[in-house]
Amino acid sequence: MKRILVTGGAGFVGSHLCERLLKEKNDVICLDNFFTGDKRNIIHLLNNPYFELVRHDVTMPYFAEVDQIYNLACPASPIHYQYNGIKTVKTSVMGAINMLGLAKRIKARILQASTSEVYGDPKIHPQTEDYWGHVNPIGVRSCYDEGKRCAETLFMNYHTQNNVDIKIIRIFNTYGTNMHPNDGRVVSNFILQALKNEDITIYGDGTQSRSFQYVDDLVEGMIRMMNTNDNFIGPVNIGNPNEFTILKLAKIILELTGSKSKIVFLPATADDPTQRKPDISLAKKELNNWEPKIQLKQGLIRTIEYFDKLIKEGYC
Ligand code: NAD
Ligand code: UDP
């Protein structure tokens, strides 16, 4: 049995990761300040004696004896990370320093949940890990993009200078159950709008693209990366390479929900990446042929059922 710390464990991805780690008979500490996380995501785990919930902010030091640390704490949706940009940078940078300091002291392996946003509005397509990115350092997304880039820098330096056992994954757009209904990301927005027969809000002309990964595929990739051999530290892309325009996504969600919603086009948001698709050759090679198994419609059906239930229970 391993002792595992998951920062941001009450969030969307973190809650799925905690559940899976418990199923695999690990002892899990879930640390969260509940900025975007929700106790509802982990309430079913609270009776498990191998699960501990700690309310804590990663910008402050934390100590526990564990074997592995998954560092996920950070708001991930543009609305939430832009709400307090300074705090977002502090969470990424000071959170990384605190967790790397802990990993160094207790000799734990630590995995960073980095992001495709390190590539910014990419000029190469699909994105490979050796691409340095195209990021506006002072734009509205920079608190998140540059915070995550700096966190990667810290991870590499703690590794080369202090021999800390690190792993870095770059996560591409992920969706699924436990997403926050108000988190403003495209999949949750469109599903809720469609279920409520409200207008589907496309920012810009809808030709911008994303590649959507279902959360179970991400969790599988994360766990494989954490437990891969010592020599492979990443960064490695974890995402689903099937690319869709935002307009196409809206049409698929309308079809799956049978909604009467109309599509409306609103002004584009600043610095919105025009295209995004991971090259996952490295993940396939290094992570024992890892690749996404759940395709878009299948994952959307599960997510639609989840939000439909939340609406019926009066949560949104
Ligand atoms: P989320 O907002 O649902 O989860 C983040 C969690 O971190 C929340 O529970 C939140 O309360 C917690 N948190 C935020 N600031 C904190 C702080 N200072 N101290 C302690 N806890 C804090 O987002 P998510 O989609 O689950 O993302 C998880 C991680 O994966 C993030 O680091 C994100 O950057 C990364 N990621 C996610 C995606 C995606 O598409 N979901 C894509 C790329 C990267
Ligand atoms: N988007 C949209 N309508 C919405 C929410 C998002 O058109 O209601 C677009 C957004 O402009 C972006 C894409 O969908 O081009 C993905 O947005 P999201 O916030 O989910 O993630 P990110 O931009 O971080 O990839």
Side-chain angles (χ1 to χ4, degrees):
M1 179 180 272
K2 288 199 186 73
R3 291 160 304 171
I4 303 179
L5 172 63
V6 179
T7 77
F12 159 50
V13 176
S15 56
H16 283 277
L17 179 64
C18 287
E19 188 173 312
R20 169 84 188 263
L21 292 171
L22 286 167
K23 263 193 201 132
E24 292 178 359
K25 306 267 178 262
N26 296 292
D27 195 334
V28 176
I29 302 176
C30 164
L31 180 155
D32 209 293
N33 73 347
F34 296 105
F35 175 51
T36 51
D38 197 318
K39 281 194 185 151
R40 239 179 322 133
N41 289 340
I42 38 120
I43 204 155
H44 59 296
L45 306 177
L46 290 174
N47 284 335
N48 186 325
Y50 295 104
F51 182 74
E52 280 168 76
L53 177 60
V54 178
R55 183 185 286 265
H56 184 83
D57 191 310
V58 285
T59 60
M60 313 293 266
Y62 174 76
F63 184 82
E65 291 276 357
V66 293
D67 304 299
Q68 296 182 340
I69 304 169
Y70 288 86
N71 188 37
L72 274 64
C74 186
S77 91
I79 289 180
H80 286 138
Y81 68 65
Q82 288 168 25
Y83 172 75
N84 182 346
I86 297 168
K87 177 71 195 223
T88 299
V89 176
K90 284 186 181 170
T91 295
S92 271
V93 175
M94 293 164 69
I97 292 170
N98 287 328
M99 289 305 134
L100 284 160
L102 175 63
K104 178 182 165 189
R105 186 163 165 198
I106 61 176
K107 296 194 173 15
R109 177 171 283 190
I110 180 166
L111 178 145
Q112 169 67 356
S114 190
T115 168
S116 53
E117 285 283 323
V118 301
Y119 302 124
D121 187 4
K123 297 296 165 209
I124 67 147
H125 196 74
Q127 291 79 56
T128 42
E129 289 84 353
D130 56 2
Y131 177 52
W132 291 355
H134 178 238
V135 174
N136 176 356
I138 54 169
V140 288
R141 298 174 87 102
S142 60
C143 57
Y144 183 71
D145 300 10
E146 298 291 14
K148 288 284 186 177
R149 285 167 68 96
C150 184
E152 286 199 11
T153 309
L154 285 161
F155 268 70
M156 290 311 287
N157 280 276
Y158 269 79
H159 177 67
T160 48
Q161 269 176 253
N162 295 139
N163 242 342
V164 174
D165 186 5
I166 65 153
K167 304 278 173 186
I168 301 173
I169 59 167
R170 292 184 179 151
I171 304 170
F172 283 64
N173 293 67
T174 304
Y175 69 99
T177 60
N178 296 4
M179 286 186 94
H180 198 292
N182 296 330
D183 104 346
R185 279 182 274 191
V186 68
V187 173
S188 47
N189 269 11
F190 286 3
I191 290 178
L192 283 170
Q193 289 163 346
L195 289 173
K196 294 177 173 180
N197 292 312
E198 293 169 357
D199 288 348
I200 304 278
T201 54
I202 291 188
Y203 306 150
D205 61 8
T207 56
Q208 71 270 38
S209 71
R210 296 291 188 273
S211 308
F212 299 101
Q213 159 175 249
Y214 192 69
V215 63
D216 292 1
D217 287 325
L218 167 60
V219 168
E220 177 65 31
M222 283 180 126
I223 292 177
R224 285 197 198 188
M225 181 59 174
M226 177 62 104
N227 296 297
T228 192
N229 67 58
D230 292 355
N231 301 329
F232 182 62
I233 61 171
V236 62
N237 292 335
I238 302 286
N240 189 322
N242 286 341
E243 186 183 3
F244 295 85
T245 65
I246 295 305
L247 181 59
K248 179 73 185 168
L249 175 72
K251 288 182 175 164
I252 295 173
I253 290 175
L254 282 175
E255 177 202 318
L256 293 177
T257 51
S259 169
K260 297 191 189 74
S261 297
K262 289 190 195 60
I263 293 176
V264 296
F265 294 88
L266 302 179
T269 56
D271 296 339
D272 195 358
T274 49
Q275 52 180 1
R276 188 181 287 155
K277 168 183 164 122
D279 181 316
I280 59 164
S281 330
L282 186 62
K284 276 189 189 163
K285 176 168 164 269
E286 296 289 347
L287 304 181
N288 197 18
N289 280 322
W290 172 86
E291 62 182 334
K293 298 267 182 289
I294 299 162
Q295 293 315 326
L296 187 64
K297 284 194 181 173
Q298 195 188 352
L300 284 176
I301 289 168
R302 293 186 197 176
T303 315
I304 290 166
E305 278 169 13
Y306 169 76
F307 280 116
D308 194 37
K309 189 160 171 275
L310 283 194
I311 292 173
K312 287 184 178 133
E313 288 170 355
Y315 284 114
C316 51

